[in-house]
Amino acid sequence: METLGCAQIICSDKTGTLTKNEMTATNIYTTTGDFVVSGLGYAPEGEIILENTGADFNHPALYRLIQSSDLCNEADVFLDGKTWVPQGAPTEAALKTLSRKAGYVDTGAMKIDDIPFDSQYKYRAALFHVDGKKILFANGAPEKLINICGKQTTLEGTEPIDPVFWESRIEAAAARGQRLLGCAFAEVSDDK
């Protein structure tokens, strides 16, 4: 309390994280473009558009990112009267809302295994049988995921991951005061 009494400036945010304990995904960064996500709070109302164009854009990584946001997740959001309420961790509830804004609907994905988030390794991972394939999804600290990923998705397919590119994106977003979360995926063999 003594330290707080010495404070001369108090900063707050306009998105509701501090005032309402709500988190909202506002931007998505990919290798070929940045997306802006409209809407605040946990209501699945808003759209995802390619920044500076106002157009919808089908990027191969965007689908898997949205899928990872929905499936590699233990939270949910539900309508309680007229208010959307999170159930579970606020970060994961924000990801669930993001997937709903994108119109993602789970079409029978089957969870095979799961590694819960741990502050020691700083990511959560889940293995699913989805879209006729076994896919491993991971959400967590971007710098950790960069270190365990070998490839990145582009419009043409995949290429070796460019850590310098991602580190510069992370620094730029952090400089704007954004909290960052990385999403990764990998198709794995049937015997995994």
PDB file of all heavy atoms in Angstrom, residues 45-83:
ATOM      1  N   GLU A  45     -19.113 -11.873 -31.398  1.00  0.00           N
ATOM      2  CA  GLU A  45     -19.589 -10.949 -32.412  1.00  0.00           C
ATOM      3  C   GLU A  45     -18.409 -10.144 -32.917  1.00  0.00           C
ATOM      4  O   GLU A  45     -17.684  -9.540 -32.141  1.00  0.00           O
ATOM      5  CB  GLU A  45     -20.648 -10.017 -31.816  1.00  0.00           C
ATOM      6  CG  GLU A  45     -21.852 -10.767 -31.278  1.00  0.00           C
ATOM      7  CD  GLU A  45     -22.667  -9.954 -30.295  1.00  0.00           C
ATOM      8  OE1 GLU A  45     -22.302  -8.797 -30.008  1.00  0.00           O
ATOM      9  OE2 GLU A  45     -23.659 -10.494 -29.797  1.00  0.00           O
ATOM     10  N   GLY A  46     -18.215 -10.145 -34.207  1.00  0.00           N
ATOM     11  CA  GLY A  46     -17.103  -9.436 -34.804  1.00  0.00           C
ATOM     12  C   GLY A  46     -16.648 -10.195 -36.042  1.00  0.00           C
ATOM     13  O   GLY A  46     -17.208 -11.229 -36.399  1.00  0.00           O
ATOM     14  N   GLU A  47     -15.634  -9.666 -36.671  1.00  0.00           N
ATOM     15  CA  GLU A  47     -15.120 -10.324 -37.865  1.00  0.00           C
ATOM     16  C   GLU A  47     -13.603 -10.257 -37.886  1.00  0.00           C
ATOM     17  O   GLU A  47     -12.992  -9.479 -37.161  1.00  0.00           O
ATOM     18  CB  GLU A  47     -15.701  -9.694 -39.128  1.00  0.00           C
ATOM     19  CG  GLU A  47     -15.440  -8.214 -39.268  1.00  0.00           C
ATOM     20  CD  GLU A  47     -16.123  -7.614 -40.482  1.00  0.00           C
ATOM     21  OE1 GLU A  47     -16.621  -8.362 -41.330  1.00  0.00           O
ATOM     22  OE2 GLU A  47     -16.141  -6.386 -40.585  1.00  0.00           O
ATOM     23  N   ILE A  48     -13.029 -11.094 -38.727  1.00  0.00           N
ATOM     24  CA  ILE A  48     -11.586 -11.152 -38.899  1.00  0.00           C
ATOM     25  C   ILE A  48     -11.289 -10.714 -40.317  1.00  0.00           C
ATOM     26  O   ILE A  48     -11.738 -11.341 -41.276  1.00  0.00           O
ATOM     27  CB  ILE A  48     -11.060 -12.580 -38.655  1.00  0.00           C
ATOM     28  CG1 ILE A  48     -11.435 -13.034 -37.241  1.00  0.00           C
ATOM     29  CG2 ILE A  48      -9.560 -12.651 -38.876  1.00  0.00           C
ATOM     30  CD1 ILE A  48     -11.180 -14.503 -36.980  1.00  0.00           C
ATOM     31  N   ILE A  49     -10.568  -9.594 -40.446  1.00  0.00           N
ATOM     32  CA  ILE A  49     -10.272  -9.070 -41.783  1.00  0.00           C
ATOM     33  C   ILE A  49      -8.779  -8.810 -41.926  1.00  0.00           C
ATOM     34  O   ILE A  49      -8.080  -8.555 -40.945  1.00  0.00           O
ATOM     35  CB  ILE A  49     -11.075  -7.788 -42.086  1.00  0.00           C
ATOM     36  CG1 ILE A  49     -10.803  -6.713 -41.030  1.00  0.00           C
ATOM     37  CG2 ILE A  49     -12.556  -8.074 -42.190  1.00  0.00           C
ATOM     38  CD1 ILE A  49     -11.377  -5.363 -41.369  1.00  0.00           C
ATOM     39  N   LEU A  50      -8.313  -8.874 -43.154  1.00  0.00           N
ATOM     40  CA  LEU A  50      -6.914  -8.586 -43.431  1.00  0.00           C
ATOM     41  C   LEU A  50      -6.692  -7.095 -43.256  1.00  0.00           C
ATOM     42  O   LEU A  50      -7.396  -6.269 -43.836  1.00  0.00           O
ATOM     43  CB  LEU A  50      -6.562  -9.028 -44.856  1.00  0.00           C
ATOM     44  CG  LEU A  50      -5.096  -8.942 -45.249  1.00  0.00           C
ATOM     45  CD1 LEU A  50      -4.234  -9.802 -44.351  1.00  0.00           C
ATOM     46  CD2 LEU A  50      -4.928  -9.372 -46.698  1.00  0.00           C
ATOM     47  N   GLU A  51      -5.734  -6.740 -42.419  1.00  0.00           N
ATOM     48  CA  GLU A  51      -5.463  -5.341 -42.095  1.00  0.00           C
ATOM     49  C   GLU A  51      -5.206  -4.515 -43.352  1.00  0.00           C
ATOM     50  O   GLU A  51      -4.572  -4.976 -44.299  1.00  0.00           O
ATOM     51  CB  GLU A  51      -4.238  -5.275 -41.173  1.00  0.00           C
ATOM     52  CG  GLU A  51      -4.028  -3.934 -40.540  1.00  0.00           C
ATOM     53  CD  GLU A  51      -2.920  -3.987 -39.511  1.00  0.00           C
ATOM     54  OE1 GLU A  51      -1.872  -4.603 -39.784  1.00  0.00           O
ATOM     55  OE2 GLU A  51      -3.107  -3.421 -38.440  1.00  0.00           O
ATOM     56  N   ASN A  52      -5.721  -3.311 -43.366  1.00  0.00           N
ATOM     57  CA  ASN A  52      -5.550  -2.325 -44.436  1.00  0.00           C
ATOM     58  C   ASN A  52      -6.272  -2.671 -45.729  1.00  0.00           C
ATOM     59  O   ASN A  52      -6.132  -1.965 -46.708  1.00  0.00           O
ATOM     60  CB  ASN A  52      -4.061  -2.074 -44.739  1.00  0.00           C
ATOM     61  CG  ASN A  52      -3.313  -1.555 -43.532  1.00  0.00           C
ATOM     62  OD1 ASN A  52      -3.860  -0.811 -42.735  1.00  0.00           O
ATOM     63  ND2 ASN A  52      -2.069  -1.967 -43.394  1.00  0.00           N
ATOM     64  N   THR A  53      -7.032  -3.771 -45.764  1.00  0.00           N
ATOM     65  CA  THR A  53      -7.780  -4.078 -46.975  1.00  0.00           C
ATOM     66  C   THR A  53      -9.274  -4.159 -46.714  1.00  0.00           C
ATOM     67  O   THR A  53     -10.068  -3.943 -47.611  1.00  0.00           O
ATOM     68  CB  THR A  53      -7.346  -5.421 -47.597  1.00  0.00           C
ATOM     69  OG1 THR A  53      -7.747  -6.488 -46.719  1.00  0.00           O
ATOM     70  CG2 THR A  53      -5.861  -5.469 -47.853  1.00  0.00           C
ATOM     71  N   GLY A  54      -9.640  -4.513 -45.478  1.00  0.00           N
ATOM     72  CA  GLY A  54     -11.050  -4.667 -45.159  1.00  0.00           C
ATOM     73  C   GLY A  54     -11.664  -5.888 -45.797  1.00  0.00           C
ATOM     74  O   GLY A  54     -12.864  -6.058 -45.807  1.00  0.00           O
ATOM     75  N   ALA A  55     -10.833  -6.780 -46.349  1.00  0.00           N
ATOM     76  CA  ALA A  55     -11.342  -7.941 -47.067  1.00  0.00           C
ATOM     77  C   ALA A  55     -11.113  -9.216 -46.275  1.00  0.00           C
ATOM     78  O   ALA A  55     -10.159  -9.325 -45.509  1.00  0.00           O
ATOM     79  CB  ALA A  55     -10.644  -8.056 -48.422  1.00  0.00           C
ATOM     80  N   ASP A  56     -11.996 -10.176 -46.500  1.00  0.00           N
ATOM     81  CA  ASP A  56     -11.753 -11.510 -45.968  1.00  0.00           C
ATOM     82  C   ASP A  56     -10.558 -12.088 -46.720  1.00  0.00           C
ATOM     83  O   ASP A  56     -10.307 -11.746 -47.868  1.00  0.00           O
ATOM     84  CB  ASP A  56     -12.973 -12.408 -46.197  1.00  0.00           C
ATOM     85  CG  ASP A  56     -14.140 -11.992 -45.325  1.00  0.00           C
ATOM     86  OD1 ASP A  56     -13.892 -11.508 -44.214  1.00  0.00           O
ATOM     87  OD2 ASP A  56     -15.285 -12.151 -45.770  1.00  0.00           O
ATOM     88  N   PHE A  57      -9.858 -12.991 -46.076  1.00  0.00           N
ATOM     89  CA  PHE A  57      -8.643 -13.514 -46.677  1.00  0.00           C
ATOM     90  C   PHE A  57      -8.457 -14.939 -46.202  1.00  0.00           C
ATOM     91  O   PHE A  57      -8.485 -15.188 -45.008  1.00  0.00           O
ATOM     92  CB  PHE A  57      -7.464 -12.636 -46.256  1.00  0.00           C
ATOM     93  CG  PHE A  57      -6.158 -13.015 -46.874  1.00  0.00           C
ATOM     94  CD1 PHE A  57      -5.922 -12.798 -48.217  1.00  0.00           C
ATOM     95  CD2 PHE A  57      -5.157 -13.575 -46.110  1.00  0.00           C
ATOM     96  CE1 PHE A  57      -4.709 -13.127 -48.778  1.00  0.00           C
ATOM     97  CE2 PHE A  57      -3.945 -13.905 -46.661  1.00  0.00           C
ATOM     98  CZ  PHE A  57      -3.726 -13.675 -48.005  1.00  0.00           C
ATOM     99  N   ASN A  58      -8.288 -15.863 -47.128  1.00  0.00           N
ATOM    100  CA  ASN A  58      -8.097 -17.262 -46.757  1.00  0.00           C
ATOM    101  C   ASN A  58      -6.618 -17.600 -46.761  1.00  0.00           C
ATOM    102  O   ASN A  58      -6.045 -17.879 -47.798  1.00  0.00           O
ATOM    103  CB  ASN A  58      -8.851 -18.177 -47.719  1.00  0.00           C
ATOM    104  CG  ASN A  58     -10.347 -18.031 -47.564  1.00  0.00           C
ATOM    105  OD1 ASN A  58     -10.822 -17.880 -46.451  1.00  0.00           O
ATOM    106  ND2 ASN A  58     -11.068 -18.043 -48.656  1.00  0.00           N
ATOM    107  N   HIS A  59      -6.016 -17.558 -45.606  1.00  0.00           N
ATOM    108  CA  HIS A  59      -4.614 -17.915 -45.443  1.00  0.00           C
ATOM    109  C   HIS A  59      -4.578 -19.336 -44.882  1.00  0.00           C
ATOM    110  O   HIS A  59      -5.325 -19.655 -43.962  1.00  0.00           O
ATOM    111  CB  HIS A  59      -3.935 -16.942 -44.480  1.00  0.00           C
ATOM    112  CG  HIS A  59      -2.461 -17.136 -44.388  1.00  0.00           C
ATOM    113  ND1 HIS A  59      -1.904 -18.189 -43.726  1.00  0.00           N
ATOM    114  CD2 HIS A  59      -1.443 -16.418 -44.885  1.00  0.00           C
ATOM    115  CE1 HIS A  59      -0.591 -18.116 -43.802  1.00  0.00           C
ATOM    116  NE2 HIS A  59      -0.295 -17.037 -44.499  1.00  0.00           N
ATOM    117  N   PRO A  60      -3.714 -20.208 -45.439  1.00  0.00           N
ATOM    118  CA  PRO A  60      -3.681 -21.597 -44.954  1.00  0.00           C
ATOM    119  C   PRO A  60      -3.435 -21.721 -43.450  1.00  0.00           C
ATOM    120  O   PRO A  60      -3.989 -22.605 -42.808  1.00  0.00           O
ATOM    121  CB  PRO A  60      -2.530 -22.222 -45.741  1.00  0.00           C
ATOM    122  CG  PRO A  60      -2.349 -21.357 -46.931  1.00  0.00           C
ATOM    123  CD  PRO A  60      -2.769 -19.974 -46.526  1.00  0.00           C
ATOM    124  N   ALA A  61      -2.624 -20.855 -42.889  1.00  0.00           N
ATOM    125  CA  ALA A  61      -2.333 -20.945 -41.453  1.00  0.00           C
ATOM    126  C   ALA A  61      -3.502 -20.456 -40.613  1.00  0.00           C
ATOM    127  O   ALA A  61      -3.649 -20.866 -39.461  1.00  0.00           O
ATOM    128  CB  ALA A  61      -1.079 -20.147 -41.124  1.00  0.00           C
ATOM    129  N   LEU A  62      -4.328 -19.588 -41.159  1.00  0.00           N
ATOM    130  CA  LEU A  62      -5.424 -19.020 -40.384  1.00  0.00           C
ATOM    131  C   LEU A  62      -6.411 -20.101 -39.941  1.00  0.00           C
ATOM    132  O   LEU A  62      -6.850 -20.119 -38.793  1.00  0.00           O
ATOM    133  CB  LEU A  62      -6.131 -17.925 -41.178  1.00  0.00           C
ATOM    134  CG  LEU A  62      -7.143 -17.093 -40.410  1.00  0.00           C
ATOM    135  CD1 LEU A  62      -6.514 -16.421 -39.205  1.00  0.00           C
ATOM    136  CD2 LEU A  62      -7.759 -16.043 -41.325  1.00  0.00           C
ATOM    137  N   TYR A  63      -6.740 -21.022 -40.835  1.00  0.00           N
ATOM    138  CA  TYR A  63      -7.680 -22.094 -40.478  1.00  0.00           C
ATOM    139  C   TYR A  63      -7.138 -22.924 -39.321  1.00  0.00           C
ATOM    140  O   TYR A  63      -7.840 -23.180 -38.343  1.00  0.00           O
ATOM    141  CB  TYR A  63      -7.955 -22.989 -41.686  1.00  0.00           C
ATOM    142  CG  TYR A  63      -8.798 -24.190 -41.345  1.00  0.00           C
ATOM    143  CD1 TYR A  63     -10.156 -24.051 -41.072  1.00  0.00           C
ATOM    144  CD2 TYR A  63      -8.238 -25.459 -41.269  1.00  0.00           C
ATOM    145  CE1 TYR A  63     -10.936 -25.157 -40.745  1.00  0.00           C
ATOM    146  CE2 TYR A  63      -9.006 -26.561 -40.944  1.00  0.00           C
ATOM    147  CZ  TYR A  63     -10.352 -26.408 -40.680  1.00  0.00           C
ATOM    148  OH  TYR A  63     -11.119 -27.504 -40.351  1.00  0.00           O
ATOM    149  N   ARG A  64      -5.878 -23.334 -39.392  1.00  0.00           N
ATOM    150  CA  ARG A  64      -5.296 -24.157 -38.326  1.00  0.00           C
ATOM    151  C   ARG A  64      -5.156 -23.354 -37.029  1.00  0.00           C
ATOM    152  O   ARG A  64      -5.320 -23.892 -35.944  1.00  0.00           O
ATOM    153  CB  ARG A  64      -3.949 -24.730 -38.751  1.00  0.00           C
ATOM    154  CG  ARG A  64      -4.033 -25.767 -39.848  1.00  0.00           C
ATOM    155  CD  ARG A  64      -4.710 -27.030 -39.394  1.00  0.00           C
ATOM    156  NE  ARG A  64      -4.641 -28.043 -40.446  1.00  0.00           N
ATOM    157  CZ  ARG A  64      -5.528 -28.993 -40.605  1.00  0.00           C
ATOM    158  NH1 ARG A  64      -6.567 -29.087 -39.791  1.00  0.00           N
ATOM    159  NH2 ARG A  64      -5.394 -29.861 -41.581  1.00  0.00           N
ATOM    160  N   LEU A  65      -4.863 -22.057 -37.140  1.00  0.00           N
ATOM    161  CA  LEU A  65      -4.769 -21.216 -35.948  1.00  0.00           C
ATOM    162  C   LEU A  65      -6.130 -21.147 -35.252  1.00  0.00           C
ATOM    163  O   LEU A  65      -6.217 -21.302 -34.031  1.00  0.00           O
ATOM    164  CB  LEU A  65      -4.288 -19.817 -36.326  1.00  0.00           C
ATOM    165  CG  LEU A  65      -4.119 -18.848 -35.161  1.00  0.00           C
ATOM    166  CD1 LEU A  65      -2.879 -17.999 -35.386  1.00  0.00           C
ATOM    167  CD2 LEU A  65      -5.324 -17.964 -34.986  1.00  0.00           C
ATOM    168  N   ILE A  66      -7.166 -20.938 -36.028  1.00  0.00           N
ATOM    169  CA  ILE A  66      -8.518 -20.883 -35.467  1.00  0.00           C
ATOM    170  C   ILE A  66      -8.887 -22.237 -34.878  1.00  0.00           C
ATOM    171  O   ILE A  66      -9.463 -22.331 -33.790  1.00  0.00           O
ATOM    172  CB  ILE A  66      -9.542 -20.450 -36.549  1.00  0.00           C
ATOM    173  CG1 ILE A  66      -9.250 -19.023 -37.022  1.00  0.00           C
ATOM    174  CG2 ILE A  66     -10.964 -20.606 -36.054  1.00  0.00           C
ATOM    175  CD1 ILE A  66      -9.323 -17.958 -35.955  1.00  0.00           C
ATOM    176  N   GLN A  67      -8.530 -23.300 -35.581  1.00  0.00           N
ATOM    177  CA  GLN A  67      -8.809 -24.652 -35.098  1.00  0.00           C
ATOM    178  C   GLN A  67      -8.062 -24.912 -33.784  1.00  0.00           C
ATOM    179  O   GLN A  67      -8.625 -25.451 -32.833  1.00  0.00           O
ATOM    180  CB  GLN A  67      -8.383 -25.655 -36.168  1.00  0.00           C
ATOM    181  CG  GLN A  67      -9.002 -26.998 -36.045  1.00  0.00           C
ATOM    182  CD  GLN A  67      -8.659 -27.862 -37.245  1.00  0.00           C
ATOM    183  OE1 GLN A  67      -7.549 -27.815 -37.764  1.00  0.00           O
ATOM    184  NE2 GLN A  67      -9.617 -28.652 -37.677  1.00  0.00           N
ATOM    185  N   SER A  68      -6.815 -24.492 -33.713  1.00  0.00           N
ATOM    186  CA  SER A  68      -6.031 -24.649 -32.497  1.00  0.00           C
ATOM    187  C   SER A  68      -6.649 -23.838 -31.356  1.00  0.00           C
ATOM    188  O   SER A  68      -6.708 -24.306 -30.211  1.00  0.00           O
ATOM    189  CB  SER A  68      -4.585 -24.201 -32.733  1.00  0.00           C
ATOM    190  OG  SER A  68      -3.800 -24.401 -31.594  1.00  0.00           O
ATOM    191  N   SER A  69      -7.120 -22.638 -31.665  1.00  0.00           N
ATOM    192  CA  SER A  69      -7.761 -21.792 -30.650  1.00  0.00           C
ATOM    193  C   SER A  69      -8.972 -22.482 -30.042  1.00  0.00           C
ATOM    194  O   SER A  69      -9.248 -22.341 -28.863  1.00  0.00           O
ATOM    195  CB  SER A  69      -8.194 -20.460 -31.263  1.00  0.00           C
ATOM    196  OG  SER A  69      -7.090 -19.728 -31.699  1.00  0.00           O
ATOM    197  N   ASP A  70      -9.690 -23.236 -30.857  1.00  0.00           N
ATOM    198  CA  ASP A  70     -10.894 -23.906 -30.390  1.00  0.00           C
ATOM    199  C   ASP A  70     -10.596 -25.241 -29.715  1.00  0.00           C
ATOM    200  O   ASP A  70     -11.103 -25.518 -28.632  1.00  0.00           O
ATOM    201  CB  ASP A  70     -11.856 -24.134 -31.563  1.00  0.00           C
ATOM    202  CG  ASP A  70     -13.205 -24.624 -31.096  1.00  0.00           C
ATOM    203  OD1 ASP A  70     -13.966 -23.805 -30.542  1.00  0.00           O
ATOM    204  OD2 ASP A  70     -13.497 -25.823 -31.259  1.00  0.00           O
ATOM    205  N   LEU A  71      -9.767 -26.061 -30.355  1.00  0.00           N
ATOM    206  CA  LEU A  71      -9.571 -27.426 -29.869  1.00  0.00           C
ATOM    207  C   LEU A  71      -8.555 -27.548 -28.740  1.00  0.00           C
ATOM    208  O   LEU A  71      -8.760 -28.313 -27.798  1.00  0.00           O
ATOM    209  CB  LEU A  71      -9.162 -28.339 -31.033  1.00  0.00           C
ATOM    210  CG  LEU A  71     -10.178 -28.479 -32.159  1.00  0.00           C
ATOM    211  CD1 LEU A  71      -9.608 -29.331 -33.283  1.00  0.00           C
ATOM    212  CD2 LEU A  71     -11.484 -29.058 -31.639  1.00  0.00           C
ATOM    213  N   CYS A  72      -7.464 -26.830 -28.826  1.00  0.00           N
ATOM    214  CA  CYS A  72      -6.406 -26.905 -27.808  1.00  0.00           C
ATOM    215  C   CYS A  72      -6.784 -25.943 -26.681  1.00  0.00           C
ATOM    216  O   CYS A  72      -6.134 -24.931 -26.449  1.00  0.00           O
ATOM    217  CB  CYS A  72      -5.057 -26.552 -28.438  1.00  0.00           C
ATOM    218  SG  CYS A  72      -3.650 -26.836 -27.357  1.00  0.00           S
ATOM    219  N   ASN A  73      -7.867 -26.284 -25.989  1.00  0.00           N
ATOM    220  CA  ASN A  73      -8.522 -25.319 -25.132  1.00  0.00           C
ATOM    221  C   ASN A  73      -9.463 -26.050 -24.178  1.00  0.00           C
ATOM    222  O   ASN A  73     -10.214 -26.920 -24.608  1.00  0.00           O
ATOM    223  CB  ASN A  73      -9.321 -24.375 -26.045  1.00  0.00           C
ATOM    224  CG  ASN A  73      -9.810 -23.147 -25.365  1.00  0.00           C
ATOM    225  OD1 ASN A  73     -10.166 -23.156 -24.202  1.00  0.00           O
ATOM    226  ND2 ASN A  73      -9.852 -22.053 -26.108  1.00  0.00           N
ATOM    227  N   GLU A  74      -9.434 -25.701 -22.911  1.00  0.00           N
ATOM    228  CA  GLU A  74     -10.334 -26.303 -21.935  1.00  0.00           C
ATOM    229  C   GLU A  74     -11.446 -25.358 -21.500  1.00  0.00           C
ATOM    230  O   GLU A  74     -12.277 -25.718 -20.679  1.00  0.00           O
ATOM    231  CB  GLU A  74      -9.544 -26.763 -20.700  1.00  0.00           C
ATOM    232  CG  GLU A  74      -8.608 -27.923 -20.976  1.00  0.00           C
ATOM    233  CD  GLU A  74      -9.336 -29.189 -21.410  1.00  0.00           C
ATOM    234  OE1 GLU A  74     -10.388 -29.522 -20.827  1.00  0.00           O
ATOM    235  OE2 GLU A  74      -8.855 -29.839 -22.357  1.00  0.00           O
ATOM    236  N   ALA A  75     -11.460 -24.140 -22.027  1.00  0.00           N
ATOM    237  CA  ALA A  75     -12.456 -23.145 -21.621  1.00  0.00           C
ATOM    238  C   ALA A  75     -13.661 -23.187 -22.558  1.00  0.00           C
ATOM    239  O   ALA A  75     -13.663 -23.882 -23.574  1.00  0.00           O
ATOM    240  CB  ALA A  75     -11.835 -21.755 -21.637  1.00  0.00           C
ATOM    241  N   ASP A  76     -14.645 -22.396 -22.215  1.00  0.00           N
ATOM    242  CA  ASP A  76     -15.809 -22.213 -23.079  1.00  0.00           C
ATOM    243  C   ASP A  76     -16.424 -20.859 -22.748  1.00  0.00           C
ATOM    244  O   ASP A  76     -16.108 -20.253 -21.719  1.00  0.00           O
ATOM    245  CB  ASP A  76     -16.832 -23.320 -22.879  1.00  0.00           C
ATOM    246  CG  ASP A  76     -17.745 -23.503 -24.085  1.00  0.00           C
ATOM    247  OD1 ASP A  76     -17.608 -22.729 -25.068  1.00  0.00           O
ATOM    248  OD2 ASP A  76     -18.592 -24.398 -24.064  1.00  0.00           O
ATOM    249  N   VAL A  77     -17.276 -20.371 -23.612  1.00  0.00           N
ATOM    250  CA  VAL A  77     -18.059 -19.171 -23.354  1.00  0.00           C
ATOM    251  C   VAL A  77     -19.516 -19.516 -23.631  1.00  0.00           C
ATOM    252  O   VAL A  77     -19.823 -20.277 -24.551  1.00  0.00           O
ATOM    253  CB  VAL A  77     -17.605 -17.958 -24.212  1.00  0.00           C
ATOM    254  CG1 VAL A  77     -16.236 -17.484 -23.775  1.00  0.00           C
ATOM    255  CG2 VAL A  77     -17.585 -18.281 -25.687  1.00  0.00           C
ATOM    256  N   PHE A  78     -20.410 -18.998 -22.800  1.00  0.00           N
ATOM    257  CA  PHE A  78     -21.831 -19.300 -22.993  1.00  0.00           C
ATOM    258  C   PHE A  78     -22.658 -18.076 -22.655  1.00  0.00           C
ATOM    259  O   PHE A  78     -22.222 -17.182 -21.928  1.00  0.00           O
ATOM    260  CB  PHE A  78     -22.253 -20.507 -22.148  1.00  0.00           C
ATOM    261  CG  PHE A  78     -22.077 -20.314 -20.673  1.00  0.00           C
ATOM    262  CD1 PHE A  78     -23.121 -19.839 -19.890  1.00  0.00           C
ATOM    263  CD2 PHE A  78     -20.874 -20.616 -20.062  1.00  0.00           C
ATOM    264  CE1 PHE A  78     -22.961 -19.643 -18.527  1.00  0.00           C
ATOM    265  CE2 PHE A  78     -20.708 -20.434 -18.692  1.00  0.00           C
ATOM    266  CZ  PHE A  78     -21.751 -19.947 -17.931  1.00  0.00           C
ATOM    267  N   LEU A  79     -23.841 -18.045 -23.207  1.00  0.00           N
ATOM    268  CA  LEU A  79     -24.752 -16.932 -23.008  1.00  0.00           C
ATOM    269  C   LEU A  79     -25.564 -17.162 -21.743  1.00  0.00           C
ATOM    270  O   LEU A  79     -26.261 -18.161 -21.605  1.00  0.00           O
ATOM    271  CB  LEU A  79     -25.674 -16.794 -24.227  1.00  0.00           C
ATOM    272  CG  LEU A  79     -26.488 -15.520 -24.343  1.00  0.00           C
ATOM    273  CD1 LEU A  79     -25.588 -14.292 -24.343  1.00  0.00           C
ATOM    274  CD2 LEU A  79     -27.322 -15.544 -25.618  1.00  0.00           C
ATOM    275  N   ASP A  80     -25.443 -16.229 -20.803  1.00  0.00           N
ATOM    276  CA  ASP A  80     -26.186 -16.283 -19.553  1.00  0.00           C
ATOM    277  C   ASP A  80     -27.109 -15.065 -19.543  1.00  0.00           C
ATOM    278  O   ASP A  80     -26.694 -13.964 -19.191  1.00  0.00           O
ATOM    279  CB  ASP A  80     -25.227 -16.259 -18.360  1.00  0.00           C
ATOM    280  CG  ASP A  80     -25.948 -16.404 -17.036  1.00  0.00           C
ATOM    281  OD1 ASP A  80     -27.138 -16.758 -17.030  1.00  0.00           O
ATOM    282  OD2 ASP A  80     -25.309 -16.153 -15.992  1.00  0.00           O
ATOM    283  N   GLY A  81     -28.340 -15.281 -19.971  1.00  0.00           N
ATOM    284  CA  GLY A  81     -29.261 -14.155 -20.132  1.00  0.00           C
ATOM    285  C   GLY A  81     -28.850 -13.359 -21.349  1.00  0.00           C
ATOM    286  O   GLY A  81     -28.942 -13.831 -22.471  1.00  0.00           O
ATOM    287  N   LYS A  82     -28.340 -12.131 -21.123  1.00  0.00           N
ATOM    288  CA  LYS A  82     -27.892 -11.295 -22.234  1.00  0.00           C
ATOM    289  C   LYS A  82     -26.374 -11.102 -22.222  1.00  0.00           C
ATOM    290  O   LYS A  82     -25.842 -10.337 -23.005  1.00  0.00           O
ATOM    291  CB  LYS A  82     -28.570  -9.929 -22.155  1.00  0.00           C
ATOM    292  CG  LYS A  82     -30.066  -9.990 -22.374  1.00  0.00           C
ATOM    293  CD  LYS A  82     -30.677  -8.610 -22.359  1.00  0.00           C
ATOM    294  CE  LYS A  82     -32.159  -8.704 -22.640  1.00  0.00           C
ATOM    295  NZ  LYS A  82     -32.800  -7.393 -22.650  1.00  0.00           N
ATOM    296  N   THR A  83     -25.677 -11.801 -21.322  1.00  0.00           N
ATOM    297  CA  THR A  83     -24.243 -11.608 -21.159  1.00  0.00           C
ATOM    298  C   THR A  83     -23.482 -12.883 -21.504  1.00  0.00           C
ATOM    299  O   THR A  83     -23.865 -13.978 -21.064  1.00  0.00           O
ATOM    300  CB  THR A  83     -23.926 -11.221 -19.690  1.00  0.00           C
ATOM    301  OG1 THR A  83     -24.695 -10.075 -19.343  1.00  0.00           O
ATOM    302  CG2 THR A  83     -22.456 -10.925 -19.506  1.00  0.00           C
TER     303      THR A  83
END
